[in-house]
Amino acid sequence: MREKELRLALVCYGGISLAVYMHGVTKEIWHLARASRAELDGDPPSGGVIGAYRALLSHMAGTPEDGSGVKLRVITDIIAGASAGGINGIFLARALASGESLEPLTDLWLTKADVTVLLDPDARPWSRFSKFWAVPIAWIYSRAPKNAIDSTVERSARAEVRSKLSQFVRARWFAPPFGGEVFSGLLLDAFAAMEAGPKGPPLIPADQPIDLMVTVTDYSGHEQVMRLNSPPVVEETEHRLIFSFRRAVGHGDGLGDAIGLAFAARATASFPGAFPPFTVRELDHTLKTRGETWPTRNAFLAAQLCTKSFCSTEDRILVDGSVLANAPFKPAIAALKQRPARREVDRRFVYIDPKPGYKSISLAGKKGARAEGGKPELPGFFGTIFKTMSDIPRSQPIRDNVEALDHLSSRIRRMRKILDAMHTEVEERIEAALGRTFFLDRPTPARLASWRAKTQARAVAEAGYAYAAYGHLKLSLIVEELARVVGDMVHAHDDWERQRWREAIWAAVRLRGWDDMRDDDAKENTDAVAFFRAHDVGYRVRRLRLLARRLDDVAGLGSGVDPAAGEAMRVVIYKAMGLYLDRESRDYYDGVAISESDLAEAGALIDRFGVHRALQSADDAADALIASGLAALPKGTRRAMAYAYLGFPFYDAATLPLLQGEGDGEFDPIKIDRISPDDATSIRKGGAAATLKGIQFNSFGAFFSRSFRENDYLWGRLHAAERLLSIVASAHAGQDVAPELMATLRRTAFTAILNEEQGRLLSVSELIAELRREIG
């Protein structure tokens, strides 16, 4: 059966109290991951919403007899978030990497995400008479004509919101009402609850990394060095920070300790005005109060906060990540590089927007409003300040990110068309290089190695002067990859320090003549060839990915090839690919010692990397695997696959300049999907306005009412279930899932969610009854 991975890169927006809605969404993504794991492991049939996901996956797999099914594995391997999305992204990543459950978090969200809990203890009114001078202000704010409550809160909840708002407003003026240490303590409680709860197997395969990034704003900023023509060096204040976590291949089952994750969650969700800015000292004091220690504190702070020029971590002031980057596509896109792909991949960017079209702050003049005389109504003093400082940076369109992904996908599609058009000509070149030998039908590892050398020489000779440009591009990709790995290993904190190592490696390359691509007397530069043989991992990976794509053409559905033989070939291709993919990971080189002295002796450092890579042994093993897979294929298919393997030098010289090294990881166009209330309309149309309560009271609504939180959490699960079923179904290669089956699966999932939550969500029993009627 054809194997395929649906890989999700999540981008989670902020949304203030809609964090509860996003908990429902991310919890459903976790359920889908559990369903995928259970289906592939062949576990007994599942009930509940997991059963609905498994039913779709089982349907897509079909039966072994028809040969048309797709054995799909759903993996969320990249998560980037800001603010409320950052918190939920952190929890989800932890659950996926460790196998811990998100279930313990639901009760915490419903009970603890309330103003009466979040208020700073020092700000809570001691009695109804405390700070009596603020009572009239609270009364004006909540009862005056056109007040915020009557304008943004539904009638049934206004009494509860007014009651809690009275405490909220009287609590403290000119200081954030919510407690920073309260928030930090709640996050630590959440991770403790996950650790103490039920635990299953990790939901990310052992051979697949998971990357987590959350945005943070450095309030004071830190200096970054930029290189110009004149003056040669300037310093610029940078306020953007990205906290990055990675579970690397073969390195445990987590993303680091819970305290470090809590640090990132507290920092990314420090909403200005509501929570105090976050500092290291706050968490230190919280841990001391709780009697807890943080053994990895200094290493964590050095990795996440230190730069070359500034490392006073205790003085760092951090605020909400959505201030400057509410839609963190850029770090998620960056994480695409060096992604392992051991089977066919359908890559999706899925962004979660809980309230498209709704602004966090509604103090500015309404769009289109008119003053006397028909002139546009201008926003007021406070409206202008809040809008420009808070709302506009959070709601900038993501068009640039979408266009960047679309541009990359377009180049990949063009490249694939070029490859398809080249097959006949490349096969002729191979026959000219090898002669019409019958041995192509009986490849052995030794013959494959010999044939590869001959076709490589032929490709270089026929490329002529164009080979120099192609060779220099390959060289630059290898050097940049070496510089990236070395920079990571020495914990380079900024571009200036990485540039030192990059220049040292380039100097060594030029000193040893590895950049000499001249072809004298039809003979390659042996030094450059030796360098490529020792270090060009990307070339080997691209060759095997081409082979996997060619297999789909010549042994896919309708080809007449035994599906078992085709799948056996696919298995050996990706097994061979794994030999090289491991060598692209920074973690593979932990055994290579690096010191400051290597800046002056970078050539010796490169040699050590070459020895550690041992690509010759990997080549021998890969040839053996490919030979065994080819032997099981029919004669015609075997020859076509051998031509693709041996002809790769011709293909690569034509296509590598097109991609410039980008997108050579998963080698397929990227699709973008969205999860939001506006996109899930099977139950109820109208988007966020018709379903969510947290959008009320300037997006703080869910902090003032448990019924609001229950409502939004439930809708988060329902909306996510609908969208995830559609996204999974769209990965069914070449076949559409029947609309009738999709409707049945949606009803099954919706009903299962209501059944699972009915005993917990007691404040929205009427809503659950309404939903049952609407679902039918």
Side-chain angles (χ1 to χ4, degrees):
M1 187 179 299
R2 185 176 184 178
E3 291 189 359
K4 187 176 181 179
E5 286 182 0
L6 175 61
R7 293 190 181 176
L8 307 182
L10 298 182
V11 178
C12 307
Y13 287 19
I16 311 179
S17 77
L18 288 171
V20 184
Y21 172 83
M22 297 195 72
H23 169 61
V25 174
T26 53
K27 188 174 181 180
E28 213 54 38
I29 295 170
W30 173 67
H31 281 312
L32 174 60
R34 296 173 65 209
S36 176
R37 169 86 194 222
E39 186 69 13
L40 285 177
D41 289 348
D43 292 349
S46 308
V49 73
I50 291 179
Y53 295 132
R54 290 191 63 179
L56 176 57
L57 294 170
S58 178
H59 170 79
M60 293 171 67
T63 60
E65 291 77 18
D66 65 19
S68 64
V70 175
K71 191 174 184 181
L72 187 71
R73 175 156 203 171
V74 185
I75 296 174
T76 299
D77 64 334
I78 298 173
I79 299 175
S83 194
I87 289 180
N88 283 289
I90 289 170
F91 287 141
L92 175 62
R94 167 93 173 192
L96 295 174
S98 67
E100 293 174 357
S101 173
L102 288 182
E103 284 292 347
L105 299 184
T106 301
D107 288 333
L108 290 175
W109 277 113
L110 296 178
T111 58
K112 303 297 185 181
D114 191 277
V115 295
T116 59
V117 176
L118 295 172
L119 280 177
D120 191 310
D122 294 336
R124 292 171 186 169
W126 289 97
S127 72
R128 60 188 300 263
F129 301 107
S130 69
K131 297 187 180 178
F132 65 90
W133 49 269
V135 174
I137 300 175
W139 183 88
I140 293 172
Y141 190 71
S142 63
R143 298 183 184 275
K146 297 183 179 180
N147 66 78
I149 293 181
D150 288 341
S151 301
T152 65
V153 178
E154 64 182 50
R155 185 180 300 275
S156 63
R158 288 173 188 168
E160 180 184 9
V161 172
R162 280 198 175 93
S163 173
K164 292 181 178 178
L165 179 66
S166 175
Q167 299 182 48
F168 186 73
V169 173
R170 287 186 294 138
R172 181 163 57 186
W173 281 99
F174 305 114
F178 292 154
E181 291 193 27
V182 173
F183 192 8
S184 295
L186 291 175
L187 291 168
L188 293 170
D189 289 342
F191 285 110
M194 290 181 67
E195 187 173 355
K199 185 174 182 179
L203 301 177
I204 297 290
D207 58 1
Q208 180 75 16
I210 178 171
D211 286 284
L212 166 69
M213 295 79 63
V214 295
T215 62
V216 178
T217 303
D218 185 346
Y219 179 79
S220 299
H222 53 278
E223 299 305 315
Q224 290 277 40
V225 175
M226 290 197 309
R227 307 184 74 184
L228 306 179
N229 179 55
S230 63
V233 176
V234 298
E235 290 188 347
E236 183 181 50
T237 302
E238 174 64 75
H239 293 272
R240 294 171 298 178
L241 285 174
I242 297 175
F243 288 176
S244 300
F245 303 85
R246 191 171 212 251
R247 191 212 69 177
V249 174
H251 281 251
D253 61 356
L255 288 160
D257 61 73
I259 298 177
L261 294 173
F263 184 103
R266 170 66 179 91
T268 191
S270 183
F271 191 85
F275 290 98
F278 178 58
T279 64
V280 177
R281 290 187 177 90
E282 177 191 295
L283 185 58
D284 287 341
H285 189 265
T286 303
L287 292 171
K288 182 178 180 181
T289 302
R290 295 165 64 96
E292 299 179 24
T293 59
W294 188 8
T296 62
R297 176 188 185 276
N298 293 338
F300 173 87
L301 297 178
Q304 302 289 3
L305 288 178
C306 287
T307 67
K308 184 70 175 178
S309 58
F310 182 60
C311 199
S312 181
T313 55
E314 279 76 5
D315 295 328
R316 222 56 177 279
I317 300 173
L318 308 175
V319 297
D320 196 282
S322 68
V323 170
L324 296 177
N326 190 48
F329 272 82
K330 187 175 180 180
I333 294 172
L336 279 178
K337 296 183 178 181
Q338 286 85 39
R339 306 305 293 180
R342 290 171 171 81
R343 56 189 55 83
E344 183 181 356
V345 171
D346 186 341
R347 165 62 71 186
R348 306 294 180 91
F349 266 67
V350 180
Y351 69 98
I352 306 171
D353 187 352
K355 52 184 181 69
Y358 278 84
K359 309 304 181 186
S360 298
I361 304 297
S362 60
L363 296 178
K366 293 182 179 179
K367 185 178 181 180
R370 298 282 171 175
E372 294 182 9
K375 295 181 180 179
E377 181 180 341
L378 297 178
F381 175 75
F382 285 106
T384 301
I385 293 175
F386 275 102
K387 187 75 174 177
T388 55
M389 290 197 308
S390 178
D391 204 36
I392 289 179
R394 285 184 172 82
S395 57
Q396 282 300 289
I398 62 170
R399 186 180 300 110
D400 291 345
N401 300 296
V402 173
E403 289 177 352
L405 289 172
D406 185 63
H407 182 59
L408 174 59
S409 296
S410 296
R411 283 191 291 164
I412 291 174
R413 284 189 288 268
R414 289 198 300 271
M415 179 199 64
R416 295 177 71 161
K417 290 180 180 178
I418 292 172
L419 292 174
D420 293 340
M422 291 178 62
H423 290 321
T424 301
E425 185 175 355
V426 169
E427 290 176 3
E428 292 174 355
R429 295 289 189 275
I430 293 173
E431 290 179 356
L434 302 181
R436 290 183 172 274
T437 173
F438 294 104
F439 290 125
L440 274 179
D441 296 329
R442 295 191 299 277
T444 66
R447 287 171 181 165
L448 283 179
S450 174
W451 294 337
R452 281 196 294 101
K454 290 180 180 180
T455 54
Q456 174 72 35
R458 182 82 179 200
V460 172
E462 295 194 0
Y465 69 87
Y467 178 79
Y470 165 68
H472 279 290
L473 175 58
K474 290 209 304 176
L475 177 66
S476 66
L477 293 175
I478 296 170
V479 170
E480 288 300 315
E481 189 258 347
L482 276 169
R484 175 189 64 82
V485 172
V486 171
D488 289 344
M489 293 179 69
V490 300
H491 304 293
H493 295 296
D494 51 39
D495 291 339
W496 176 261
E497 187 173 357
R498 289 179 181 274
Q499 183 65 19
R500 294 170 64 226
W501 288 98
R502 183 180 293 109
E503 290 176 350
I505 293 171
W506 270 117
V509 167
R510 297 185 182 103
L511 180 65
R512 296 196 176 190
W514 291 330
D515 62 335
D516 184 359
M517 302 296 167
R518 290 175 296 178
D519 186 14
D520 298 328
D521 300 325
K523 192 173 184 180
E524 297 172 284
N525 181 297
T526 54
D527 290 334
V529 171
F531 179 80
F532 286 140
R533 287 174 177 167
H535 296 283
D536 200 350
V537 181
Y539 177 88
R540 276 94 162 174
V541 174
R542 294 193 300 273
R543 178 174 63 202
L544 290 167
R545 289 205 170 103
L546 172 70
L547 198 62
R549 288 189 54 250
R550 188 61 174 147
L551 182 65
D552 291 337
D553 297 334
V554 300
L557 185 63
S559 65
V561 176
D562 181 4
E567 186 56 30
M569 183 70 205
R570 191 182 305 277
V571 168
V572 300
I573 290 172
Y574 282 103
K575 189 173 182 180
M577 198 182 300
L579 298 171
Y580 301 114
L581 289 170
D582 291 341
R583 290 163 166 82
E584 284 191 331
S585 169
R586 167 253 182 274
D587 305 283
Y588 182 81
Y589 302 98
D590 284 345
V592 179
I594 302 179
S595 65
E596 190 73 12
S597 62
D598 287 317
L599 278 168
E601 298 291 338
L605 174 62
I606 296 172
D607 290 339
R608 295 203 299 274
F609 268 85
V611 171
H612 196 76
R613 278 177 166 148
L615 285 182
Q616 183 59 57
S617 63
D619 291 342
D620 294 341
D623 285 335
L625 287 166
I626 298 303
S628 67
L630 291 173
L633 294 174
K635 181 177 180 180
T637 305
R638 184 187 314 146
R639 289 181 69 89
M641 292 296 291
Y643 279 133
Y645 190 60
L646 301 175
F648 180 72
F650 297 96
Y651 293 117
D652 200 45
T655 59
L656 185 64
L658 178 64
L659 284 179
Q660 295 286 302
E662 293 185 46
D664 63 340
E666 293 166 349
F667 212 61
D668 288 287
I670 298 166
K671 305 179 184 72
I672 303 175
D673 300 288
R674 183 177 76 169
I675 297 177
S676 82
D678 289 6
D679 309 315
T681 58
S682 293
I683 301 176
R684 188 178 295 178
K685 294 179 173 57
T691 57
L692 303 188
K693 307 296 186 182
I695 60 173
Q696 300 180 30
F697 206 49
N698 290 330
S699 299
F700 280 81
F703 290 149
F704 285 86
S705 171
R706 171 162 180 137
S707 65
F708 280 15
R709 294 193 291 277
E710 291 187 5
N711 174 91
D712 289 2
Y713 161 69
L714 181 60
W715 277 112
R717 289 199 64 186
L718 294 170
H719 287 161
E722 178 177 345
R723 294 295 296 129
L724 290 173
L725 286 169
S726 297
I727 291 169
V728 171
S730 69
H732 200 357
Q735 297 186 35
D736 293 329
V737 180
E740 297 80 8
L741 175 59
M742 289 300 299
T744 299
L745 291 173
R746 283 195 295 268
R747 285 195 298 271
T748 301
F750 296 156
T751 302
I753 290 171
L754 296 180
N755 291 340
E756 290 170 4
E757 300 295 349
Q758 186 164 6
R760 171 162 41 201
L761 308 182
L762 302 180
S763 298
V764 291
S765 55
E766 292 184 5
L767 171 64
I768 291 176
E770 291 175 8
L771 290 172
R772 291 191 187 279
R773 290 191 295 270
E774 293 178 49
I775 293 168

